[in-house]
């Protein structure tokens, strides 16, 4: 009548050959540390309340599905219930959260264009006003 989770410290029992925790009220995940039990010949955690993926590497991957049955939230390669991949982050960011580098590039580009256009307009008007009379005399002589 064990309750709670499987202690990860069981993974330190390196010479353990048999581990039968079936028909208890254990919950939580199967600890990854149990994959280091290389001498384990028999493993059974059936009919508990275990959840999450069965550790795939190590000795635990050699036991058949009977070692894990009766745990409705347990998933893995050995079981009919396969584990779902964790949700992937969205490729595009929400509208209000654009990449600052791409936005700043276009803002900078338009700012440079506007500064150049505005500066050229002011310089042209100033120079045109200063040299209007000289340009008028020059054009008068030519035509």
């Amino acid at each position: 009548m064990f309750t709670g989770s499987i202690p990860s410290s069981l993974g330190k029992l390196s010479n353990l050959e048999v581990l039968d925790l079936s028909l208890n009220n254990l919950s939580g995940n199967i600890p990854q540390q149990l994959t280091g039990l290389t001498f384990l010949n028999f493993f059974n955690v059936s009919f508990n309340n275990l959840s999450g993926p069965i550790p795939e590497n190590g000795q635990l991957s050699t036991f058949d599905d009977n070692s894990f049955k009766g745990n409705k939230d347990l998933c893995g390669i050995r079981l009919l219930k396969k584990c779902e991949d964790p949700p992937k982050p969205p490729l595009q960011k929400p509208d209000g959260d654009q990449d600052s580098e791409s936005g700043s590039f276009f803002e900078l580009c338009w700012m440079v264009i506007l500064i150049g256009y505005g500066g050229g307009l002011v310089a042209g008007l100033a120079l045109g006003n200063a040299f209007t009379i000289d340009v008028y005399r020059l054009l008068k002589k030519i035509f």
Side-chain angles (χ1 to χ4, degrees), residues 15-141:
N15 293 326
L16 189 65
E17 294 180 12
V18 175
L19 182 58
D20 189 350
L21 297 171
S22 62
L23 299 166
N24 285 290
N25 198 21
L26 295 170
S27 59
N29 294 339
I30 298 173
Q32 187 71 31
Q33 290 83 352
L34 296 185
T35 60
L37 298 174
T38 55
F39 288 104
L40 204 57
N41 292 320
F42 182 81
F43 179 75
N44 192 348
V45 291
S46 61
F47 300 101
N48 281 287
N49 295 313
L50 296 173
S51 59
I54 298 169
E56 294 177 13
N57 54 350
Q59 195 72 8
L60 295 184
S61 62
T62 63
F63 298 106
D64 63 9
D65 62 339
N66 289 330
S67 296
F68 305 101
K69 68 181 176 181
N71 293 289
K72 65 176 184 169
D73 293 327
L74 203 58
C75 62
I77 294 173
R78 294 271 177 214
L79 302 177
L80 292 175
K81 182 179 179 183
K82 304 301 181 211
C83 299
E84 296 178 11
D85 291 333
K88 295 179 181 178
L91 296 176
Q92 295 179 348
K93 295 182 180 183
D95 293 338
D97 190 23
Q98 292 179 346
D99 189 9
S100 62
E101 288 184 19
S102 64
S104 64
F105 172 75
F106 289 113
E107 288 174 14
L108 179 65
C109 184
W110 283 107
M111 289 173 119
V112 169
I113 291 171
L114 289 175
I115 290 171
Y117 182 78
L121 182 65
V122 170
L125 289 173
L127 290 174
N129 189 29
F131 296 107
T132 304
I133 297 172
D134 293 334
V135 171
Y136 180 72
R137 287 182 192 157
L138 180 65
L139 289 173
K140 201 174 183 182
K141 283 183 183 178

